[in-house]
Amino acid sequence: HGFLSHSLYFLFFLLPQPNRGTKRPRDDEDEDIKARRKQASARERSRHREEEAAALEETDDEKKKLLQMVDKEGEEEEEEDEPLDESSVKKMILTFEKRSYKNQELRIKFPDNPEKFMESELDLNDIIQEMHVVATMPDLYHLLVELNAVQSLLGLLGHDNTDILSFEDGAEVLIDALVDGQVVALLVQNLERLDEGVKEEADGVHNTLAIVENMAEFRPEMCTEAAQQGLMQWLLKRLKAKMPFDANKLYCSEVLAILLQNNDDNRELLGELDGIDVLLQQLSVFKRHNPSTAEEQEMMENLFDSLCSCLMLSSNRDRFLKGEGLQLMNLMLREKKISRSSALKVLDHAMIGPEGTDNCHKFVDILGLRTIFPLFMKSPKKMKKIGTTEKEHEEHVCSILASLLRNLRGQQRTRLLNKFTENDSEKVDRLMELHFKYLDAMQVADKKIEGEKHDMVRRGEIIDDDMEDEFYLRRLDAGLFVLQLICYIMAEICNASVPQIRQRVHQILNMRGSSIKIVRHIIKEYAENIGDGKNQEFRESEQKRILELLENF
């Protein structure tokens, strides 16, 4: 058994993997999360790739021994009417592993000579077809897990031979059956038994997480089942474990982020499992200290991404509030460490929309205005080093201010408005400075888009609704969204019955030769496109409220 697990561990690294080039974006509403999704190069799997290369050069004898031993195990594979029991399925899996390994070895040895490996490819295809029968026997799935065949099957999905379609078809049938047969529950049981104090077993944890990641990439819809079959609970427990930071903890943070993206069921489950508290506890380490390595920084960003994902579900906003998430994020903003830009993004997610009302009031109570306004007045330097642009920073700050103006009532709202009058209305001056900065950027972007539209019409191409949507998204990306937030803030503060603010806004617009008409047009466009498409009633009431602000602007 020990030899087999060691040998199959070796096989794990020889098998081709599904294409990792494209990661799914973690959140449909947050473009900076999409931009920052990293490939697996930062993880310790880079070390495994080096081991793979070394293994190919140095372990010829070991490979031969492995083939001989697996040969002995599988030599009776072709007996005609052998009943399908645990023993025969083991032999089948061993034969599959042997043929898969042999095919891969020959492909590496003779990459430019298909004749040398074609026979092994046909043999491999035959055994995959035979293995279809395993799909009808869920009580034997545990053998596929224990003998690492799941990872080998997933490896075949990235096989170089695209001509023999049955490779993929055969593997897909089995993997679908495994998903339906709760294979993740088996994998989690395996994880529970592994002792990471033993190197081989720690590697086993890493391999198991790789299986889950690859299955999620192959079948994204399985993420909900995986979380409910104990994986979410295990990931949270492993993140909480008092162990030094290592590649497995990094991998846990990544798999957790994958489970949460675009998945309200999993966001709700994480909330019920007190996962918000776990995330906050893990992130609290970084309030006064920067991550010590690039890998640790990637883990921190994965945890922040998971937190942002969770906050898109309104029930988790309350858990975040009770878990003192606002206080932690506020501290991070003051400490000026690497975590600051991610903390700002979390606050934006926590306060946005009517569900963010309680968090907005609490933020003012914990003196958050003293933290956010210096970040509004001046964008921090050195942001490029941590992967954040000036535009992203200004977008999050303006979004937070817009949420505060939308949600605050009574004394807290008064405290916010007073900020715009202090120090000779310097905050209004800064708002207008940002307004013209993003207005100029939009005029450049609009000119380019209009030129493209003109060329399309000249060529006789039709600009349909999809194309118009694409152009609108490009305008948002160029800075329109920040400009819309700025104009919305202008409309809110000018409606606040504070003559000093209104006069200053109008005065600066006149001085710069601009007009209220431009601001009105931008806000109308913002109102037309508001909402997430899920709640029509909210959308209509919000549009009405914004257009009422324009009447008194």
Side-chain angles (χ1 to χ4, degrees):
H1 177 75
F3 172 79
L4 249 183
S5 61
H6 180 76
S7 303
L8 292 171
Y9 165 78
F10 178 72
L11 280 171
F12 169 85
F13 294 111
L14 289 179
L15 288 166
Q17 299 291 306
N19 177 20
R20 294 181 176 283
T22 308
K23 287 278 187 185
R24 292 174 292 139
R26 286 197 185 155
D27 262 318
D28 44 357
E29 287 186 14
D30 205 337
E31 288 298 322
D32 50 342
I33 291 179
K34 291 181 191 175
R36 220 170 28 74
R37 281 300 299 121
K38 295 183 179 178
Q39 301 201 3
S41 58
R43 291 198 300 265
E44 198 181 313
R45 271 168 287 173
S46 60
R47 173 175 67 81
H48 294 320
R49 291 193 195 101
E50 290 164 18
E51 287 176 5
E52 175 188 334
L56 289 172
E57 290 173 14
E58 296 168 15
T59 57
D60 248 13
D61 290 342
E62 189 181 337
K63 287 189 278 186
K64 282 171 188 167
K65 281 180 196 170
L66 174 61
L67 278 174
Q68 286 164 8
M69 291 191 73
V70 176
D71 251 330
K72 284 178 189 172
E73 290 278 349
E75 63 191 1
E76 296 168 25
E77 68 190 8
E78 291 177 12
E79 286 182 21
E80 286 285 326
D81 299 315
E82 186 177 2
L84 197 67
D85 56 14
E86 191 162 317
S87 174
S88 58
V89 169
K90 272 186 182 177
K91 287 176 184 174
M92 196 183 286
I93 292 169
L94 289 165
T95 304
F96 163 67
E97 290 287 359
K98 182 193 78 170
R99 292 183 184 180
S100 180
Y101 171 77
K102 186 177 180 183
N103 175 245
Q104 183 66 5
E105 186 188 41
L106 289 171
R107 275 184 163 273
I108 290 166
K109 209 169 179 182
F110 308 106
D112 303 317
N113 194 348
E115 285 179 18
K116 297 278 188 183
F117 55 74
M118 190 48 68
E119 189 178 343
S120 72
E121 219 125 283
L122 296 170
D123 288 343
L124 179 56
N125 183 46
D126 288 344
I127 192 65
I128 291 171
Q129 299 307 321
E130 277 182 51
M131 285 174 70
H132 280 196
V133 71
V134 182
T136 64
M137 306 185 73
D139 54 319
L140 297 179
Y141 286 173
H142 68 97
L143 295 172
L144 291 164
V145 174
E146 288 161 17
L147 297 176
N148 210 30
V150 179
Q151 186 59 38
S152 302
L153 286 163
L154 285 162
L156 289 177
L157 299 178
H159 198 280
D160 296 329
N161 188 345
T162 52
D163 297 328
I164 303 178
L165 290 174
S166 51
F167 267 114
E168 285 209 13
D169 295 343
E172 280 189 28
V173 169
L174 276 165
I175 288 164
D176 285 342
L178 286 166
V179 172
D180 293 341
Q182 298 205 332
V183 70
V184 178
L186 286 169
L187 291 169
V188 172
Q189 283 170 28
N190 253 16
L191 286 169
E192 296 280 7
R193 287 199 294 266
L194 293 169
D195 174 8
E196 291 188 64
V198 179
K199 186 189 179 298
E200 287 76 10
E201 297 195 20
D203 290 337
V205 169
H206 201 277
N207 297 347
T208 304
L209 292 171
I211 290 171
V212 172
E213 185 191 20
N214 292 344
M215 288 182 83
E217 191 174 322
F218 173 64
R219 281 277 180 273
E221 63 274 16
M222 70 151 281
C223 286
T224 305
E225 288 83 6
Q228 288 168 352
Q229 287 171 27
L231 182 61
M232 179 81 77
Q233 200 160 2
W234 184 87
L235 289 170
L236 293 172
K237 191 172 89 173
R238 177 60 178 84
L239 286 170
K240 270 197 304 187
K242 288 184 166 60
M243 296 165 68
F245 172 77
D246 62 2
N248 283 352
K249 187 166 185 177
L250 168 59
Y251 213 166
C252 284
S253 70
E254 174 145 353
V255 172
L256 181 65
I258 289 168
L259 290 183
L260 292 169
Q261 68 187 41
N262 304 328
N263 194 317
D264 280 349
D265 289 338
N266 285 354
R267 291 165 182 166
E268 191 170 348
L269 178 62
L270 182 130
E272 290 166 359
L273 293 170
D274 297 327
I276 302 286
D277 287 343
V278 174
L279 291 172
L280 292 173
Q281 178 196 8
Q282 292 302 306
L283 286 168
S284 65
V285 177
F286 303 109
K287 66 185 171 195
R288 290 197 173 93
H289 304 285
N290 282 332
S292 52
T293 63
E295 289 79 12
E296 196 173 20
Q297 184 178 338
E298 188 183 352
M299 182 196 71
M300 179 190 80
E301 289 165 352
N302 288 335
L303 296 175
F304 272 120
D305 287 350
S306 294
L307 192 52
C308 288
S309 233
C310 288
L311 290 172
M312 294 175 80
L313 192 71
S314 58
S315 59
N316 284 333
R317 305 277 185 100
D318 190 46
R319 294 181 175 112
F320 177 78
L321 178 66
K322 287 174 180 167
E324 300 193 346
L326 288 167
Q327 288 89 329
L328 177 60
M329 298 305 127
N330 198 35
L331 256 174
M332 286 176 163
L333 293 185
R334 289 181 183 177
E335 287 293 334
K336 302 179 183 177
K337 300 295 178 190
I338 286 176
S339 58
R340 177 161 69 170
S341 61
S342 295
L344 192 66
K345 183 173 61 181
V346 169
L347 285 174
D348 185 1
H349 278 75
M351 296 187 204
I352 204 163
E355 304 90 351
T357 300
D358 291 344
N359 279 312
C360 285
H361 283 89
K362 184 66 177 178
F363 186 68
V364 177
D365 292 345
I366 63 168
L367 308 179
L369 297 181
R370 292 183 190 177
T371 314
I372 200 70
F373 271 106
L375 293 170
F376 172 69
M377 292 302 291
K378 190 177 181 185
S379 298
K381 293 174 183 176
K382 298 181 184 174
M383 284 190 299
K384 283 184 182 175
K385 284 185 182 176
I386 53 171
T388 303
T389 65
E390 189 173 74
K391 181 170 85 69
E392 284 168 346
H393 172 86
E394 287 164 0
E395 179 181 317
H396 288 309
V397 173
C398 289
S399 181
I400 288 167
L401 291 179
S403 294
L404 289 167
L405 284 162
R406 186 206 178 283
N407 290 327
L408 290 179
R409 298 286 177 270
Q411 187 190 352
Q412 281 103 331
R413 182 176 175 81
T414 304
R415 284 165 69 179
L416 174 63
L417 291 167
N418 286 344
K419 287 283 180 186
F420 285 95
T421 60
E422 66 186 24
N423 296 334
D424 193 25
S425 304
E426 64 175 6
K427 313 288 190 304
V428 178
D429 293 352
R430 170 63 172 160
L431 184 71
M432 302 311 291
E433 178 192 328
L434 288 170
H435 170 70
F436 288 109
K437 171 185 170 179
Y438 283 98
L439 187 62
D440 290 346
M442 277 318 303
Q443 285 168 348
V444 171
D446 283 346
K447 193 174 178 181
K448 189 179 177 190
I449 287 170
E450 286 307 313
E452 286 179 35
K453 284 183 175 179
H454 179 74
D455 290 344
M456 287 175 74
V457 170
R458 203 182 60 210
R459 291 194 299 266
E461 294 175 27
I462 296 168
I463 302 172
D464 58 12
D465 289 347
D466 288 345
M467 187 58 74
E468 286 290 2
D469 287 346
E470 196 179 310
F471 283 131
Y472 184 68
L473 288 172
R474 271 178 55 190
R475 293 177 70 224
L476 286 175
D477 196 46
L480 176 61
F481 182 57
V482 192
L483 182 63
Q484 289 173 343
L485 291 171
I486 291 163
C487 290
Y488 171 76
I489 294 168
M490 284 164 61
E492 279 277 14
I493 60 177
C494 286
N495 270 266
S497 305
V498 184
Q500 181 186 337
I501 295 174
R502 197 158 183 267
Q503 285 162 12
R504 188 63 155 248
V505 169
H506 284 255
Q507 179 193 357
I508 295 171
L509 283 172
N510 291 333
M511 272 171 53
R512 295 286 299 263
S514 192
S515 72
I516 298 290
K517 266 186 186 175
I518 294 170
V519 180
R520 281 176 185 271
H521 173 74
I522 293 164
I523 296 176
K524 273 183 182 172
E525 191 175 28
Y526 173 58
E528 283 165 12
N529 290 281
I530 207 160
D532 57 7
K534 293 176 188 172
N535 190 334
Q536 189 61 27
E537 191 181 330
F538 163 74
R539 180 182 168 158
E540 287 172 7
S541 67
E542 192 68 355
Q543 283 176 336
K544 187 182 173 191
R545 191 183 69 79
I546 291 169
L547 294 173
E548 280 171 5
L549 288 175
L550 284 182
E551 288 176 19
N552 303 314
F553 184 34

